[in-house]
Amino acid sequence: MRIVVAHNRYREAQPSGENTIVDAEIAQLTAAGVEVLPFLRSSDEIPSMSKPAKALLPISPIWAPKAQHDLDRLLTEHRPDVLHLHNPYPLLSPWVVRTAHKRGVPVVQTVHNYRQVCSSGLYFRDGVICQDCRGRALGVPAIVHRCYRNSRAQSALMATTLAVHRPTWKSVDRYIALTTAVADHLRDYGIPDERIVVKPNAVPDPGTPARVGNGFLFMGRLSPEKGLDLLLAAWRRHPVGALGPLRIAGDGELRPLAEAAAAERPDVLYLGQLDRSGVRAALADSSVVLATSTWHDVLPTVIIEALASGRPVLGTALGGIPYLVGADGPREPAGTGPAEVATAAPGDGHVALPVGVQRGEAGWVVAPEADALAAALPLAAAEATALAPAARSRYERTFHPDVITKRLIDIYAGLAAPGGRPAR
């Protein structure tokens, strides 16, 4: 099987989980015997471009002529079975879908954000969830609020790109939704169920989990949408030391908030930006990982890393977080849902759920509110050891590279087989 993987890499100065996932997926596919033809561009190329090439940059999100020429030559020469698209902006353009279809090559796209509709891709503006552009032919609110790169001109270009390429996105042969929440987003956009497959990302297996540690770990980008301020507001509702330590790892614009909390309370530790060995050590030291996003976070990789390390997760009930912890299934009968108190069976290691808390297979989710999160913290501390095996089991069944790679190859095979490409 021969697959073209197309991706516009984000700048190296802007740490990107998407770049990491694409690199890992290429390596996993190659190890599984798939012939991968990378078709990659990088936003780091832009400063060194010639003046004529830079002059064309404003139109490249709509139509990138050099990328189409290069891709067409690649498709003609190698005749791949499938083109797998990740991020097309700004140097590839969604036009690569049309170029592939012109050569009879079916297209799969992994949806890493909400940019079919939202110019920023986040559904988040001015510190709150925003979906003002949903259902609009042209995302005028994105232009008014400078949602793309804080520029009205660039926001107008991106909004126009999304409007122009609505038929392009509707023609993609198979969408890979990273979670059930992304699948819902695609259905809302008008993509039929038969073109959507839920397949999350994988992280490497760190091996047998260490014994459950003590306290909580918040790890990730320290930016407003990740909910550090929400977490600290909930943490301050408990006496110092009552929950064990809160470790905060990462960097970003809210770093002063983390440093101030660590100076204020001895049970808050700011670890800074960690390398891979530091991440492993922080996970081993902790008993619960926190994912307190206040936006519809698509697929926080930190959750999968937590599950791989046998650490349950306490998160907000937004975006892909409920799916990741196994709390997105059918709701329990009245009296056991998140709005009421549920009593677990005696001896199962679980305790009664506080109001506003829902237990999943590998963790808990709450409304993105300080009171609900504060109520869930002692519950998570009490149940961490009981849920640790379930966390690791969920990783092995759902997020292990072997499982995910096989799933991805099956998706390709379904399109590459005669009659596999659906009519558009």
Side-chain angles (χ1 to χ4, degrees):
M1 185 178 293
R2 184 175 293 158
I3 306 297
V4 172
V5 174
H7 176 57
N8 190 128
R9 299 179 66 83
Y10 296 88
R11 291 180 296 110
E12 291 301 321
Q14 174 186 341
S16 165
E18 198 169 322
N19 287 351
T20 302
I21 289 299
V22 171
D23 292 343
E25 210 162 77
I26 290 173
Q28 290 155 11
L29 287 168
T30 301
V34 175
E35 182 182 353
V36 178
L37 302 173
F39 185 71
L40 307 177
R41 297 292 183 272
S42 172
S43 294
D44 285 327
E45 300 170 17
I46 293 174
S48 61
M49 285 181 170
S50 66
K51 287 184 178 180
K54 285 182 178 178
L56 292 174
L57 276 175
I59 67 164
S60 63
I62 298 176
W63 180 58
K66 186 178 187 308
Q68 307 321 307
H69 175 268
D70 293 346
L71 177 60
D72 189 67
R73 185 172 58 187
L74 177 70
L75 298 176
T76 302
E77 180 179 348
H78 293 282
R79 302 181 62 82
D81 297 294
V82 174
L83 182 141
H84 186 166
L85 174 63
H86 291 269
N87 172 46
Y89 301 113
L91 301 178
L92 294 183
S93 160
W95 207 281
V96 297
V97 176
R98 303 187 187 195
T99 300
H101 284 162
K102 184 181 71 174
R103 294 297 178 188
V105 178
V107 176
V108 171
Q109 194 205 5
T110 296
V111 180
H112 295 272
N113 52 45
Y114 304 106
R115 194 161 275 149
Q116 287 81 14
V117 175
C118 174
S119 290
S120 74
L122 299 179
Y123 277 156
F124 190 83
R125 174 173 59 82
D126 296 334
V128 296
I129 291 170
C130 169
Q131 296 183 336
D132 289 352
C133 292
R134 277 180 63 193
R136 293 176 178 264
L138 179 67
V140 174
I143 303 170
V144 171
H145 297 287
R146 299 182 171 92
C147 289
Y148 187 66
R149 297 183 176 177
N150 197 33
S151 162
R152 188 159 289 163
Q154 292 193 57
S155 297
L157 173 63
M158 182 54 71
T160 301
T161 299
L162 300 184
V164 167
H165 281 297
R166 181 176 290 264
T168 308
W169 292 130
K170 293 291 179 70
S171 75
V172 168
D173 301 288
R174 194 76 78 241
Y175 276 106
I176 294 176
L178 295 177
T179 68
T180 52
V182 175
D184 290 341
H185 155 72
L186 290 169
R187 291 186 194 100
D188 183 67
Y189 184 67
I191 306 301
D193 278 348
E194 61 267 22
R195 292 197 194 173
I196 302 171
V197 178
V198 176
K199 181 208 72 69
N201 295 329
V203 300
D205 189 343
T208 303
R211 187 174 180 177
V212 172
N214 179 39
F216 294 81
L217 174 64
F218 177 97
M219 183 168 61
R221 188 172 63 252
L222 303 186
S223 54
E225 72 275 9
K226 291 294 185 179
L228 177 61
D229 51 350
L230 169 66
L231 168 59
L232 292 175
W235 192 262
R236 291 188 177 103
R237 283 164 164 73
H238 296 278
V240 172
L243 300 170
L246 168 62
R247 301 173 181 87
I248 301 172
D251 205 351
E253 60 188 288
L254 296 187
R255 176 174 179 163
L257 202 64
E259 292 174 331
E264 170 194 340
R265 292 178 58 125
D267 60 350
V268 177
L269 309 173
Y270 177 55
L271 307 179
Q273 188 73 45
L274 300 178
D275 58 17
R276 292 310 306 167
S277 63
V279 168
R280 287 193 294 271
L283 284 166
D285 289 341
S286 306
S287 63
V288 177
V289 171
L290 296 157
T292 55
S293 295
T294 55
W295 70 295
H296 288 292
D297 212 337
V298 175
L299 189 141
T301 303
V302 64
I303 295 182
I304 307 179
E305 292 178 329
L307 302 183
S309 297
R311 299 300 184 260
V313 174
L314 170 58
T316 47
L318 292 172
I321 296 173
Y323 167 80
L324 292 173
V325 303
D328 68 331
R331 296 293 179 258
E332 296 169 330
T336 62
E340 309 199 30
V341 173
T343 303
D348 71 350
H350 295 157
V351 298
L353 290 180
V355 172
V357 180
Q358 182 180 342
R359 184 188 293 117
E361 177 188 348
W364 315 262
V365 292
V366 300
E369 300 165 358
D371 287 344
L373 183 56
L377 286 167
L379 169 74
E383 292 189 342
T385 300
L387 260 65
R392 173 65 187 186
S393 176
R394 181 161 178 79
Y395 164 75
E396 291 173 347
R397 289 183 286 104
T398 312
F399 306 110
H400 193 282
D402 292 348
V403 174
I404 295 302
T405 302
K406 181 182 183 305
R407 181 70 172 128
L408 184 55
I409 292 172
D410 288 345
I411 293 168
Y412 295 155
L415 288 177
R421 182 176 169 186
R424 289 186 304 280

